[in-house]
Amino acid sequence: MISSFVTRDGSRWMPKYLAAIDGATCIGCGRCFKVCSREVMHLHGVDDAGEILGPVDGDENDFGGELNRMIMVIDCRGRCIGCGACARVCPRDCQTHVAADTLAK
């Protein structure tokens, strides 16, 4: 069981990994993506019915006119290092993080 990790100065630290993003709350602002150095998440398009259409690329793809809004989606969960930068910049508090010690059980 993991009790905690130690930083370079000897301080105890417990990583909290990104586990979920609430698509109903996320506004797709992209702040979390910009601070994430690991490319854990990407913007995806959503249609009027709330169905995820796919990743949004830089080409202003509107998915054949179906694009209603954008949300952030976790697509590389294993890359998360638990730094918490994404949670600190999220204006909607739509992310769920899980402490490393709960994953080791």
Side-chain angles (χ1 to χ4, degrees):
M1 181 167 128
I2 300 171
S3 59
S4 67
F5 294 91
V6 179
T7 63
R8 294 189 310 186
D9 69 357
S11 302
R12 292 204 173 276
W13 177 68
M14 180 60 64
K16 293 184 179 177
Y17 300 110
L18 181 61
I21 298 174
D22 182 355
T25 307
C26 179
I27 59 173
C29 66
R31 291 179 186 174
C32 55
F33 175 78
K34 290 176 185 171
V35 299
C36 181
S37 65
R38 309 290 297 171
E39 296 187 10
V40 172
M41 66 211 94
H42 293 88
L43 279 174
H44 283 61
V46 178
D47 65 12
D48 290 331
E51 296 294 320
I52 296 176
L53 301 170
V56 175
D57 55 18
D59 296 35
E60 299 294 325
N61 182 1
D62 71 350
F63 297 95
E66 296 293 316
L67 182 66
N68 179 333
R69 64 188 192 100
M70 294 183 290
I71 62 170
M72 202 58 66
V73 173
I74 303 168
D75 50 7
C76 298
R77 184 178 314 275
R79 291 183 181 172
C80 181
I81 60 172
C83 69
C86 57
R88 288 190 296 276
V89 298
C90 181
R92 299 299 295 262
D93 193 28
C94 62
Q95 301 171 0
T96 301
H97 291 78
V98 178
D101 62 346
T102 62
L103 297 175
K105 293 178 182 177

